[in-house]
Amino acid sequence: MFPYPSGNLHMGHLRVYTIADVIARFKRMQGYDVLFPMGWDAFGLPAENAAIERGVSPADWTRQNVGKMKDQLIGMNGGFDWSREFMTCDPAFYKHTQRIFLLLHEHGFAYQADSLVNYDPIDKTVLANEQVDSNGFSWRSGAKAEKIMLKQWFLRVTKYKEALLADLDHLSRNDRWPERVLAMQRNWLGRSEGVVLTFSLSSTSSTRSTQRSVKVFTTRPDTLVGVQYIALSVFHPLVVALVDQDSYLKEFVEQALRLPEDSKAGYLLPGIVAHNPISSLTDMPDCVSSPLPVYVAPYVLQEYGEGAVMGVPGHDTRDHEFWKLHKDVAPIREVIKPVHETELPLAKHHSDLHELYTKPGILTSVCGKLAGMTSSEASGYIVRVLSVTGNLAQRAENWRIRDWLISRQRYWGTPIPIIHCDRCGAVPVPLDELPVELPKIEGEWFRRKGGNPLESAEGWVKTKCPSCNSPARRDTDTMDTFVDSSWYFMRFVDPHNAVEPFSPGEADSILPVDIYLGGIEHAILHLLYARFVSKFLASTQLWPSGGGKDNKAEPFRRLVTQGMVHGKTYSDSRTGRFLRLEEVDLSKPLSPKILATGETPMISWEKMSKSKYNGVDPSVCIDTYGADVTRAHVLYQAPVNQVLEWEEERIVGIQRWFGRIWRVLDTLPVQRLDYQPPIPPIEKLTKAETELYSAVQHTISSVTTSLSTTFALNTVVSDIIKLTNIITSTSITNNGILYHATSSLLRMLAPIAPAFCEECWERLHFPTGGGSIFMQPFPTSNGALALEKLSQQCAVQENGKLRFAVAIPTASADLLDNKDQSCLIAWVIAAIEKTPEGAKWLESRKGREWKRIVVVKGGKTVNFVG
């Protein structure tokens, strides 16, 4: 995933781009044609906020940051293809973002509608639902989001909801995408199968409402006997109809818009009650005939189902909390019990209810004729009977996902290419007039004002209608930056195309992306939107193949998510205040002290941030230890998908390892060879030579698997360190074996430490230099893992107890396939007797009769039972 140009490379950047660079270099050495480009996700609020704080142009601030970060990326020895570099804030790029928007508009996927939106009062912009956390705060500014009505632009993501969900199964095959990401997307798409139930309404004569019923979507019709109230969204049609009749209701609705969605506030509609549809059936308990109070509640989402819920306080935590607040003395009706428990009390005050049973089970005796049925049986019966009784129940499907709100009332984003005309309405900007460029606005404007400067840029806003040539106005909203990132990876295949976003031919030759790396935090927003846009573009002439029939128009074949980087964090145990490093005495690293008090600070590992004083500048680390040492340390510290706890003091271990490799080139007899000495026939190798050669082959096999399949890059480093130790401790002098081992080690290490290995490769091949190591193929296991067939460790046991272990030859295929085990047993005993340890032990047992001799795994274990 390409970076946002914040101005400084942080450890998260270093980690993800090191991982990507290692895989790209490895694939190149394997002979693949690798596209490894770099660009900049350059639009967005941080640049505009920086402009407000500093009084500078967002464009100038962004370009300055891009220059700094590019230097840092080059400094980390990244092998990026800079010839394809672009910034999303460049008109040459966002011209095509606007073209894709117009394609969406042309096909009915982009539309404008009045909508209740999340509004950030600090950043003065609209937020998508995904950009508001569970507590109602903006993901960017941290401000409490407000609810307001605005006319907004949406992309009709819901048209692809079935494909977006179904094709997750395709992405799950062979672990192509992490299960955690797939689960998060399934949850966000949120398909649920249930029932729409109709609750009739009755009202007093003083309440003027023409609505005679309320429809409720539920996945649990088995709990219908337990319904004790109805709750409506503040935007439910019934509430909208009554708000002008009831000043108290109007005041509540206005306040509710500022409350978090999980608020349990509620307003009881006076004079209106609902009636349980099950009350129309015979042999139902009397409790279902009681009128149900109707509340207006902000926790009910208008977008979910029908904008109404049936409150079941006995079996839903949210409903229980609401009932507790509004009906404190009312008993709670329990209608479901676990299958394995005895009958529960018929009614219980909520304060005595210690734990709600929220799962399916068995209906209790409260439920009349339904008592004793399982939840599944009761649901089927209720739906079947109510569906023929006044059509009070209908099977239905509900989705959590909503259309993508892309309007932002900010300057620093892609302008929406629409012109608003009083006569013609919303008119697309003609293609030959793209891009609609942002007007140049001086940085001082941002210092003085907030909101959207485009609204006051009259010279830019005023224009002519493309259809009727009447005076008109440009749309002053800009697009959510996730629109840019939803297709940027496609632009890399044809970055200099001035006419189209990319040519279909170039797209077919490269797309979909084979390996995509990024943080788990992008699981819903970026990845879901990229999947939507890819599927849409596959329905157009831009990418008609969609990557082939088997690809299902998915943008990324393989997804790798890396964990965050956490830093060691010190805080005052008394106040909880985070401490700067200069406030802590670290002269004794194992027992740090707070300088001001002499007390021991609390130590934790937290996500790196300025406020916690635990950030590490990777550029400083690279300047101190070198880029390659830093890269290897980052990879070695933790598996790719796990949190990396940055401990800089351990980096010296990597330095020492590199030093040992460098010294190998001085001490091995193969130094300064400008040719590859031959390897003797395997059968002529000594035991030590065989062990080294076998270790090299095992390492090649393990490293190749880790780099191509599991991406266990910490294991790659570990395996190469182990091979280094074997090479440095060997006493053999066979030039062919030593050269093979050393050159294989350097080629395996090269993707991780490119500059260091280039130096080592040149030194190994002095005086000719040997050319670039990256012109060499990645080592392959050449079948010499068959060396395992030359020898194996045999564990010798006596009555199940291990006596010793010796190396013996591997049994032939004929022996292993022979059903007569006595041949194999005789061969194993003879092989053991040829070893000094085996001969001595067998001599000490001479004359002893064994009840049986058991050979396991072809001779890897032999047990003498006597």
Side-chain angles (χ1 to χ4, degrees):
M1 299 178 188
F2 67 166
Y4 176 77
S6 58
N8 289 295
L9 203 67
H10 57 65
M11 273 297 174
H13 287 133
L14 179 65
R15 188 181 195 194
V16 69
Y17 295 127
T18 295
I19 294 167
D21 188 59
V22 167
I23 296 171
R25 290 178 183 275
F26 164 68
K27 289 294 183 182
R28 284 198 189 103
M29 293 179 74
Q30 283 194 314
Y32 288 94
D33 183 10
V34 177
L35 176 61
F36 185 43
M38 179 53 69
W40 307 95
D41 190 11
F43 271 138
L45 285 174
E48 193 158 341
N49 289 340
I52 293 170
E53 293 170 10
R54 298 171 175 83
V56 298
S57 162
D60 293 341
W61 188 82
T62 298
R63 290 189 180 92
Q64 178 183 347
N65 288 348
V66 165
K68 289 169 59 179
M69 289 186 69
K70 183 174 180 178
D71 289 342
Q72 292 173 317
L73 286 172
I74 293 172
M76 62 164 276
N77 289 343
F80 306 104
D81 181 355
W82 292 106
S83 70
R84 296 173 183 262
E85 178 188 15
F86 58 75
M87 296 185 291
T88 58
C89 65
D90 188 332
F93 176 86
Y94 69 71
K95 165 186 178 178
H96 301 294
T97 303
Q98 292 172 338
R99 176 70 184 96
I100 291 172
F101 174 90
L102 293 178
L103 268 175
L104 288 158
H105 188 267
E106 177 187 340
H107 287 77
F109 281 86
Y111 67 94
Q112 209 172 13
D114 288 323
S115 174
L116 180 71
V117 297
N118 304 300
Y119 187 76
D120 187 321
I122 292 180
D123 284 336
K124 294 183 172 61
T125 191
V126 170
L127 303 166
N129 288 335
E130 300 90 336
Q131 295 170 327
V132 179
D133 68 19
S134 59
N135 296 314
F137 293 96
S138 166
W139 77 302
R140 180 68 73 180
S141 73
K144 191 74 171 179
E146 300 175 354
K147 296 282 189 180
I148 63 173
M149 292 294 292
L150 280 178
K151 198 163 192 175
Q152 301 288 292
W153 283 99
F154 293 85
L155 298 184
R156 214 179 294 274
V157 180
T158 52
K159 274 196 173 183
Y160 278 104
K161 61 180 184 288
E162 288 89 357
L164 289 169
L165 179 62
D167 293 345
L168 291 175
D169 292 336
H170 168 70
L171 296 174
S172 69
R173 295 173 190 165
N174 302 317
D175 297 322
R176 289 170 55 185
W177 278 40
E179 181 55 40
R180 183 181 174 191
V181 174
L182 297 172
M184 292 170 74
Q185 290 215 1
R186 287 191 185 98
N187 180 64
W188 188 255
L189 290 163
R191 182 178 69 182
S192 54
E193 295 180 353
V195 181
V196 173
L197 300 170
T198 301
F199 289 75
S200 62
L201 297 176
S202 59
S203 58
T204 63
S205 56
S206 61
T207 302
R208 298 187 299 277
S209 172
T210 59
Q211 190 161 337
R212 295 290 176 258
S213 64
V214 167
K215 293 185 180 297
V216 174
F217 175 84
T218 180
T219 59
R220 295 291 304 276
D222 57 314
T223 63
L224 196 51
V225 175
V227 175
Q228 295 186 257
Y229 70 93
I230 297 295
L232 307 177
S233 157
V234 294
F235 293 101
H236 191 279
L238 176 58
V239 179
V240 174
L242 295 176
V243 75
D244 290 331
Q245 303 177 34
D246 186 339
S247 60
Y248 294 107
L249 173 60
K250 185 175 183 179
E251 181 182 357
F252 174 81
V253 168
E254 291 173 350
Q255 293 175 348
L257 294 177
R258 295 188 290 271
L259 295 174
E261 289 181 350
D262 61 350
S263 169
K264 297 305 179 288
Y267 179 83
L268 179 64
L269 289 178
I272 295 182
V273 293
H275 302 281
N276 196 322
I278 208 172
S279 63
S280 62
L281 305 182
T282 58
D283 298 325
M284 286 293 112
D286 293 339
C287 60
V288 301
S289 300
S290 302
L292 302 171
V294 180
Y295 290 89
V296 180
Y299 83 82
V300 182
L301 303 179
Q302 181 62 28
E303 299 85 4
Y304 184 80
E306 304 291 330
V309 300
M310 59 184 209
V312 186
H315 301 285
D316 184 279
T317 303
R318 179 192 57 184
D319 297 346
H320 175 77
E321 292 174 356
F322 185 87
W323 192 249
K324 179 179 178 180
L325 183 64
H326 296 280
K327 288 284 187 177
D328 188 55
V329 297
I332 287 175
R333 202 177 300 147
E334 292 184 348
V335 298
I336 306 290
K337 65 180 180 179
V339 175
H340 61 277
E341 288 190 8
T342 57
E343 185 70 73
L344 295 171
L346 301 185
K348 186 183 291 185
H349 189 275
H350 62 74
S351 62
D352 299 323
L353 192 62
H354 298 297
E355 185 175 350
L356 297 177
Y357 185 71
T358 60
K359 300 177 182 179
I362 302 292
L363 273 69
T364 67
S365 59
V366 172
C367 302
K369 67 186 296 183
L370 303 176
M373 291 186 181
T374 66
S375 289
S376 177
E377 293 168 342
S379 294
Y381 175 81
I382 290 170
V383 174
R384 186 168 60 252
V385 174
L386 290 182
S387 63
V388 298
T389 306
N391 199 29
L392 299 177
Q394 295 176 309
R395 293 284 182 187
E397 182 180 82
N398 195 65
W399 294 75
R400 180 185 177 193
I401 188 173
R402 294 294 174 262
D403 286 341
W404 177 10
L405 189 159
I406 66 164
S407 289
R408 297 293 180 268
Q409 291 68 47
R410 298 302 295 255
Y411 168 76
W412 194 234
T414 299
I416 292 177
I418 294 291
I419 292 172
H420 297 278
C421 173
D422 291 339
R423 294 173 60 183
C424 305
V427 181
V429 171
L431 295 182
D432 60 3
E433 294 183 15
L434 297 181
V436 176
E437 293 193 37
L438 288 168
K440 185 173 178 59
I441 294 178
E442 298 300 326
E444 278 302 313
W445 189 97
F446 293 95
R447 187 187 294 276
R448 296 192 306 270
K449 303 178 182 179
N452 184 1
L454 294 179
E455 294 175 352
S456 58
E458 290 294 317
W460 180 84
V461 172
K462 292 180 179 179
T463 187
K464 296 288 186 180
C465 173
S467 296
C468 68
N469 206 36
S470 299
R473 295 178 65 84
R474 296 190 186 279
D475 198 303
T476 58
D477 283 355
T478 54
M479 298 185 208
D480 180 5
T481 55
F482 283 107
V483 179
D484 304 314
S485 61
S486 70
W487 79 279
Y488 81 95
F489 49 91
M490 294 178 159
R491 181 63 176 172
F492 280 129
V493 308
D494 196 9
H496 307 299
N497 192 327
V499 179
E500 298 178 297
F502 49 85
S503 74
E506 291 291 337
D508 283 340
S509 69
I510 297 177
L511 296 175
V513 176
D514 291 292
I515 302 174
Y516 198 50
L517 292 103
I520 192 74
E521 65 272 19
H522 299 293
I524 295 174
L525 294 171
H526 166 54
L527 291 174
L528 190 66
Y529 295 154
R531 294 183 64 219
F532 159 68
V533 170
S534 292
K535 291 180 183 298
F536 167 73
L537 291 178
S539 71
T540 72
Q541 292 305 306
L542 274 177
W543 195 33
S545 73
K549 183 179 178 181
D550 294 336
N551 186 56
K552 299 183 182 296
E554 288 290 339
F556 315 117
R557 290 189 195 278
R558 181 76 187 266
L559 176 68
V560 179
T561 54
Q562 90 283 356
M564 291 184 175
V565 181
H566 287 186
K568 186 177 285 188
T569 309
Y570 300 94
S571 58
D572 191 319
S573 58
R574 294 179 305 169
T575 64
R577 182 177 69 86
F578 293 110
L579 301 171
R580 294 179 173 86
L581 286 180
E582 54 266 28
E583 296 181 89
V584 183
D585 179 3
L586 297 173
S587 58
K588 296 180 180 179
L590 297 180
S591 56
K593 300 293 181 183
I594 301 175
L595 288 171
T597 63
E599 296 183 357
T600 301
M602 292 179 62
I603 301 175
S604 59
W605 294 95
E606 308 277 351
K607 180 182 177 182
M608 289 185 178
S609 69
K610 293 179 181 178
S611 63
K612 296 176 182 177
Y613 312 112
N614 63 351
V616 176
D617 185 345
S619 296
V620 173
C621 197
I622 287 172
D623 289 343
T624 305
Y625 303 102
D628 287 354
V629 169
T630 304
R631 286 162 57 110
H633 181 62
V634 164
L635 297 176
Y636 187 45
Q637 284 292 95
V640 165
N641 62 347
Q642 294 182 16
V643 169
L644 188 162
E645 295 180 346
W646 179 258
E647 294 185 85
E648 190 168 319
E649 56 269 23
R650 294 190 177 185
I651 202 170
V652 294
I654 299 294
Q655 278 187 311
R656 295 191 189 106
W657 170 40
F658 279 20
R660 291 202 309 276
I661 293 173
W662 188 255
R663 288 191 294 275
V664 163
L665 305 176
D666 284 332
T667 59
L668 290 181
V670 296
Q671 62 177 324
R672 302 186 179 182
L673 289 177
D674 56 359
Y675 69 98
Q676 182 172 344
I679 299 173
I682 291 175
E683 62 272 12
K684 293 185 178 180
L685 296 179
T686 67
K687 180 181 178 181
E689 291 168 349
T690 299
E691 289 175 351
L692 176 57
Y693 193 77
S694 181
V696 172
Q697 298 304 308
H698 275 292
T699 305
I700 292 172
S701 178
S702 176
V703 167
T704 301
T705 298
S706 295
L707 286 172
S708 58
T709 305
T710 63
F711 302 112
L713 303 192
N714 61 316
T715 301
V716 171
V717 177
S718 176
D719 285 343
I720 302 175
I721 289 174
K722 290 176 184 177
L723 181 59
T724 305
N725 294 337
I726 293 172
I727 293 173
T728 56
S729 62
T730 188
S731 59
I732 68 174
T733 58
N734 185 309
N735 283 357
I737 298 296
L738 290 171
Y739 178 86
H740 170 72
T742 307
S743 67
S744 296
L745 182 148
L746 293 177
R747 285 179 287 152
M748 285 187 283
L749 180 59
I752 295 170
F756 174 70
C757 288
E758 288 279 32
E759 291 287 333
C760 290
W761 191 254
E762 181 178 355
R763 184 163 181 162
L764 180 63
H765 296 90
F766 183 84
T768 62
S772 171
I773 194 170
F774 292 103
M775 298 302 293
Q776 303 296 318
F778 198 84
T780 57
S781 178
N782 60 7
L785 284 175
L787 284 169
E788 289 184 81
K789 297 181 180 179
L790 298 177
S791 65
Q792 62 180 345
Q793 283 295 109
C794 176
V796 179
Q797 298 177 348
E798 183 178 13
N799 296 322
K801 294 182 179 181
L802 179 66
R803 296 307 183 193
F804 60 94
V806 291
I808 66 172
T810 300
S812 66
D814 291 340
L815 280 171
L816 295 175
D817 294 338
N818 194 332
K819 293 181 179 180
D820 184 0
Q821 287 290 294
S822 62
C823 296
L824 177 62
I825 292 171
W827 180 88
V828 170
I829 294 174
I832 293 173
E833 194 170 15
K834 290 179 181 178
T835 67
E837 301 97 323
K840 181 178 180 181
W841 187 80
L842 288 170
E843 179 64 25
S844 69
R845 269 54 172 185
K846 190 173 182 179
R848 183 170 180 177
E849 292 186 5
W850 302 104
K851 292 181 179 178
R852 65 182 185 277
I853 300 173
V854 181
V855 175
V856 181
K857 294 182 179 180
K860 290 187 176 180
T861 302
V862 58
N863 186 19
F864 292 83
V865 181

